[in-house]
């Protein structure tokens, strides 16, 4: 009788373990084209790429500083153009001072035409065509010029008018990347600078945080410490929270690289939307991150942290 009781106990235990594994271990294989779900804070066409959600346009001291920087760079010659390699963007075109050059989606390349004037041209100073020359890695045939409404000549790359960003102060800065969804660093051929398409989820080496997970756009992925993973994923971020922390939509298991496969699954939220998990923990992006490589959500409220490849929260107090 005792033996039968032990056998039954073992069976019940095994069933319970299987139930837990199934609840958080069942993996889905949605289309690899799935995208993030949720609102992302928009920036103005000539706004800033600051760290907060209220940085859609310059204001106060920050605006004055940007204006002063813009005035200082507006007539600075481009000099010899060169190509730098950015970890997030690949090959980026820079001027002789190492400052990143940008293009504006509302401009046209055929024929070249600029649509950035007034305040826009203060935040995004046009690059003068005078004295611009092709350095190593730059095809001279890609360089041209366009006459702006004020009569000045602006440099074009592959037909696209070239600009600097007033908040890029140091060589290699790319703070203007992705601002307003219309401003992008220039590649040497005039196209938008970008690496080859990323998988749905992958990892990158951050200088301060180490190896962290990013989505298909290269944006940092985060965890919320108030969420749950066991026995099944539960998100505590609802309502207005989702405006700041858009959920990451499901990705196919074969559309990931460097991320732990165990517990890589999706679940259905109370609102019916599907959300991706890493090691069963729900994952999000941060609307305050304006460009790939930003980690402005790290440590927010003491509850939001970047995600390590094994799903652990990077830099969070060890409570797991």
């Amino acid at each position: 009788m005792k033996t039968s009781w032990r056998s039954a106990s073992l069976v019940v235990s095994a069933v319970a373990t299987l139930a837990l594994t199934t609840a958080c271990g069942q993996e889905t294989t949605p289309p690899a084209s799935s995208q993030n779900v949720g609102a992302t804070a928009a920036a103005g066409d000539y706004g800033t790429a600051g760290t907060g959600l209220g940085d859609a346009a310059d204001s106060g001291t920050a605006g004055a500083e940007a204006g002063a920087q813009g005035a200082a760079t507006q007539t600075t010659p481009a000099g010899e153009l060169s190509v730098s390699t950015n970890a997030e963007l690949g090959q980026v075109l820079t001027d002789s001072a190492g400052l990143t050059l940008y293009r504006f989606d509302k401009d046209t390349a055929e024929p070249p035409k600029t649509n950035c004037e007034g305040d826009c041209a203060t935040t995004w100073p046009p690059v003068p065509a005078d004295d611009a020359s092709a350095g190593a890695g730059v095809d001279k045939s890609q360089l041209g010029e366009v006459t702006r409404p004020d009569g000045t000549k602006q440099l074009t790359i592959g037909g696209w008018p070239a600009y600097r960003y007033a908040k890029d102060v140091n060589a290699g800065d790319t703070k203007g990347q992705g601002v307003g969804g219309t401003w992008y660093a220039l590649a040497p051929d005039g196209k938008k600078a970008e690496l080859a398409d990323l998988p749905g989820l992958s990892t990158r080496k951050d200088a301060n945080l180490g190896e962290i997970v990013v989505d298909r756009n290269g944006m940092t992925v985060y965890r919320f410490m108030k969420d749950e993973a066991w026995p099944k994923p539960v998100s505590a971020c609802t309502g207005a929270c989702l405006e700041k922390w858009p959920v990451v939509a499901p990705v196919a298991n074969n559309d990931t690289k460097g991320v732990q496969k165990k517990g890589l699954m999706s679940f259905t939220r109370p609102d019916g939307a599907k959300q991706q998990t890493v090691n069963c923990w729900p994952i999000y992006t941060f609307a305050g991150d304006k460009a790939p490589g930003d980690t402005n959500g790290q440590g927010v409220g003491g509850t939001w942290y970047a995600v390590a490849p094994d799903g652990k929260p990077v830099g969070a107090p060890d409570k797991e």
Side-chain angles (χ1 to χ4, degrees):
M1 191 70 177
K2 185 175 181 180
T3 301
S4 298
W5 177 86
R6 284 179 58 84
S7 299
S9 177
L10 289 172
V11 170
V12 171
S13 176
V15 170
T17 300
L18 178 60
L20 287 177
T21 302
T22 302
C24 188
Q26 186 169 353
E27 299 171 350
T28 57
T29 54
S33 60
S34 298
Q35 300 292 332
N36 281 1
V37 176
T40 299
D45 286 337
Y46 49 91
T48 72
T51 59
L53 293 178
D55 292 328
D58 284 330
S59 61
T61 303
E65 291 175 352
Q69 179 69 18
T73 58
Q74 185 140 12
T75 57
T76 303
E80 187 177 75
L81 305 183
S82 59
V83 180
S84 65
T85 301
N86 181 280
E88 306 297 333
L89 302 175
Q91 290 193 323
V92 173
L93 193 64
T94 61
D95 66 11
S96 58
L99 293 175
T100 302
L101 303 188
Y102 297 89
R103 51 174 275 180
F104 185 32
D105 274 357
K106 294 188 177 181
D107 287 349
T108 60
E110 296 180 0
K113 184 179 184 301
T114 173
N115 287 299
C116 179
E117 303 176 57
D119 290 341
C120 175
T122 299
T123 304
W124 300 91
V127 179
D130 299 339
D131 194 42
S133 61
V138 182
D139 184 349
K140 183 180 179 180
S141 67
Q142 296 292 335
L143 277 58
E145 64 180 40
V146 61
T147 302
R148 295 181 54 77
D150 62 5
T152 59
K153 302 291 186 181
Q154 181 176 358
L155 175 68
T156 63
I157 307 296
W160 287 97
Y163 305 82
R164 300 182 180 98
Y165 183 44
K167 285 199 169 183
D168 281 354
V169 177
N170 302 309
D173 284 351
T174 55
K175 296 177 182 177
Q177 175 68 12
V179 168
T182 54
W183 290 93
Y184 297 93
L186 272 163
D189 60 359
K191 295 180 180 179
K192 298 176 184 178
E194 57 184 358
L195 292 172
D197 290 340
L198 294 174
L201 288 176
S202 59
T203 64
R204 73 171 181 84
K205 184 76 171 180
D206 184 85
N208 298 315
L209 303 178
E211 200 75 13
I212 59 175
V213 179
V214 298
D215 70 2
R216 68 174 67 255
N217 298 311
M219 304 302 288
T220 302
V221 166
Y222 298 90
R223 262 189 53 182
F224 188 29
M225 299 303 288
K226 294 183 180 181
D227 285 350
E228 298 177 11
W230 305 97
K232 62 181 181 179
V234 176
S235 170
C237 180
T238 59
C241 174
L242 294 174
E243 296 179 7
K244 294 183 179 180
W245 302 95
V247 306
V248 175
V251 300
N253 279 11
N254 61 2
D255 191 27
T256 65
K257 182 178 181 181
V259 182
Q260 176 178 291
K261 298 290 187 182
K262 179 182 178 182
L264 191 64
M265 57 169 286
S266 65
F267 71 101
T268 302
R269 297 174 51 82
D271 59 8
K274 299 283 188 178
Q275 182 171 2
Q276 180 66 33
T277 73
V278 174
N279 195 22
C280 298
W281 289 98
I283 56 175
Y284 312 76
T285 53
F286 180 44
D289 285 347
K290 303 302 182 182
D294 284 353
T295 55
N296 300 319
Q298 176 66 6
V300 168
T303 54
W304 291 91
Y305 296 92
V307 179
D310 60 1
K312 292 183 178 180
V314 178
D318 189 7
K319 294 182 180 180
E320 297 186 3

